[in-house]
Every structure is written in C-alpha cells, then in structure tokens.
Amino acid sequence: MRTYHERLRLPASWWVLGMTTAVIFASFVWAGFGPVVIVVSYLVIAGGPAAALLALGATTIEVAGGELRVGRMRLPLRAAAEVTVVDADQSRALRGPRGDPAAVLLFRPYLRAGVFIRLAGPPGSAPYWLVGSRQPARLAAAIEAARPRSGDTARPGDTAVG
C-alpha cells in the first residue's frame, strides 16, 4: 500500500525561461531560410530543452511496501534509524559544508526544505539520505508510519539500491 507519493515537477518559471530562451535561439538560427528550416530548427532547438525539463520534472518520491523510493533509488525503511524534517538552512548546510560525501542526496535547486534520514547500516555504507520535498512534514510522517517498530532493526546489507 502506498502511503505517500510526490512528483517533483519543475516550477513554471523554469519552463518559461527555458522555452523562451530556446525559441529566441531558434529564431536566430533560421533567419533567412525557408519554411522547412524554420520548422526543423524550432523542433530541434526547442525540443531538446523541453525533453530535459520533462526528464528533470519526472522524479518521484514514494513511500510504499516498507521502502522509500526516490527516483530509481530504493531504501528499505527498516534501515532508517532517525527521520527528521530539515529547514532551508539545515538542508543547505547538509548539502554543503556539513555534508558527508558518502550520503545519498536528492535535492532540486527550487526545493528549500527536506527530510533527513539517518541510516542504521553497516560502517562504510551511506550514513544518511537527504531528500528534498515540497511537503517534508508529510513525507517524514509517512516514513515514520511505514517503518518497522522496535525489535525490527537494520540487517547488515540493508543499503540503498540504485
């Protein structure tokens, strides 16, 4: 059963700026050519950024079946030791100077807050996951509700599957 689902769609401003830039560039390319070149230049030059924007906005976050799915990565929730909502300052610090290079991050520039998930895995594995979300409190609550309770501890080998 799925308890949480979020799609990290891009903000409208990214679409407006990206497509406006592509259309302006395509207009420079076709200047002085015939109608076939005009159509092809718009399709090719505007199609590339549109495909990239669609791909960036296709990432999903889902809590279902005892695991957290973030894009293609999976985290068995029995490996989660601590789940905390982080604000913009905390997430910036964890993505930057206070961050661990071995951590698993999924953050988009337009997201400010997120969820910090400390892992109870073996040494050498990822120490935590930091997941950006538009609704971090709901995501953290869904993770807490779906993860196993006391007595069910992380087993060696419980790490992210990417």
Side-chain angles (χ1 to χ4, degrees):
M1 178 176 76
R2 181 169 78 180
T3 59
Y4 181 84
H5 180 81
E6 177 181 4
R7 184 168 175 196
L8 298 179
R9 288 187 174 91
L10 296 176
S13 62
W14 284 42
W15 279 94
V16 171
L17 291 172
M19 296 314 296
T20 301
T21 303
V23 167
I24 290 170
F25 185 67
S27 298
F28 284 125
V29 170
W30 68 259
F33 290 102
V36 172
V37 174
I38 293 171
V39 171
V40 170
S41 67
Y42 278 115
L43 288 175
V44 171
I45 294 174
L53 290 169
L54 282 171
L56 279 172
T59 304
T60 60
I61 302 170
E62 187 173 88
V63 177
E67 66 182 9
L68 171 65
R69 298 178 191 127
V70 181
R72 293 182 181 159
M73 301 180 297
R74 297 184 180 327
L75 174 68
L77 291 179
R78 65 181 171 267
E82 172 190 353
V83 179
T84 308
V85 175
V86 292
D87 63 16
D89 293 333
Q90 293 168 323
S91 67
R92 188 178 321 113
L94 287 169
R95 288 179 282 144
R98 287 193 3 222
D100 188 325
V104 175
L105 305 177
L106 183 109
F107 238 88
R108 298 290 190 243
Y110 53 87
L111 297 172
R112 301 289 180 238
V115 176
F116 173 84
I117 306 157
R118 183 174 311 281
L119 302 181
S125 66
Y128 62 87
W129 278 36
L130 183 63
V131 180
S133 174
R134 285 189 174 93
Q135 303 169 347
R138 282 190 56 217
L139 175 58
I143 293 170
E144 283 291 343
R147 74 182 181 139
R149 295 293 155 227
S150 62
D152 297 336
T153 59
R155 293 178 285 189
D158 280 349
T159 57
V161 177

